[in-house]
Amino acid sequence: TTTALYSIGIHTHGRNTLSDGTMNTLRRAVVPRALAHRSIDWSNLATKLSSDSAKAEVSRLRATYGEIQALANTYSSAPTPIDFASYKAKVSTPGIVEKFEAEYKTVSFPKAVAEELAEIKEQHAAMLSEAEQSVEDSKARIVALTDLVAAMESNQVGYHTTLEQLYELYPDLEAEIEAEIEAHEWGKDI
């Protein structure tokens, strides 16, 4: 902030000597200048994309952003007020400028109301709740899969595993093997 103060000609010499009014003036002078320097690195953003459709969407977004910036620059300040006094001096018809001035002062311009904003907020909230539910489901699935992996690792068999250990791990296996032996189904699972 010291650099910003120096850039507009105010030197504090290490002391906070600014009143609230001066600080507000500084904020109005410095913040827009800081925001004006902010820009989007479109080429860096485009290099992170792999599909042509994504690159096309970023290109379309860039064009829309450019249009919005152009409109914002065009209408960034209020229009200059109408100088009715100069028109009174120029127009020879008596009373006409006064009528226009009176009518102009009665005109009220409509305020822009974003009626879609409530619907968009609802959709956004629904998407957030779905995402949160998906995260919770994923966490539960991770726990279940971790438990499954641990159970499979603990039940892993090898050349050193005995038949008794297999029967302990898989109790249904003993009955199935005995049934196959009695039925003389020697090559059933081969």
Side-chain angles (χ1 to χ4, degrees):
T1 59
T2 305
T3 309
L5 295 175
Y6 286 136
S7 69
I8 58 174
I10 297 176
H11 305 281
T12 60
H13 303 290
R15 300 182 311 272
N16 187 5
T17 59
L18 302 175
S19 67
D20 288 339
T22 307
M23 283 303 294
N24 286 335
T25 304
L26 289 175
R27 284 187 190 109
R28 276 183 262 147
V30 173
V31 171
R33 207 178 312 157
L35 291 176
H37 294 294
R38 237 183 232 182
S39 64
I40 298 172
D41 187 1
W42 294 103
S43 59
N44 186 24
L45 183 61
T47 59
K48 295 178 181 179
L49 304 174
S50 58
S51 70
D52 290 336
S53 63
K55 289 179 182 178
E57 285 299 315
V58 167
S59 178
R60 190 176 65 78
L61 180 63
R62 183 178 187 176
T64 304
Y65 178 79
E67 291 173 11
I68 292 170
Q69 284 298 105
L71 286 172
N73 291 338
T74 303
Y75 301 110
S76 62
S77 61
T80 57
I82 299 173
D83 186 10
F84 287 106
S86 69
Y87 287 114
K88 287 177 186 175
K90 294 176 186 175
V91 176
S92 61
T93 307
I96 191 96
V97 176
E98 288 82 4
K99 287 182 182 178
F100 275 107
E101 186 176 9
E103 286 296 319
Y104 181 75
K105 289 181 180 177
T106 62
V107 172
S108 64
F109 296 100
K111 300 276 185 188
V113 179
E115 295 174 358
E116 300 86 12
L117 190 59
E119 181 182 339
I120 290 170
K121 284 184 178 180
E122 287 177 14
Q123 291 174 352
H124 184 258
M127 288 183 348
L128 281 178
S129 66
E130 287 176 16
E132 289 170 354
Q133 183 60 43
S134 178
V135 166
E136 293 303 317
D137 293 346
S138 295
K139 286 180 180 178
R141 183 73 176 141
I142 287 170
V143 168
L145 290 174
T146 304
D147 293 344
L148 179 64
V149 167
M152 292 180 91
E153 285 177 348
S154 68
N155 292 342
Q156 191 173 12
V157 295
Y159 66 91
H160 59 277
T161 308
T162 63
L163 200 54
E164 287 76 22
Q165 290 172 332
L166 273 177
Y167 290 159
E168 285 178 28
L169 292 174
Y170 306 102
D172 298 336
L173 188 62
E174 182 178 10
E176 182 181 338
I177 290 174
E178 292 299 324
E180 288 175 9
I181 291 173
E182 287 180 24
H184 299 287
E185 296 175 343
W186 308 113
K188 177 183 172 190
D189 294 328
I190 297 177

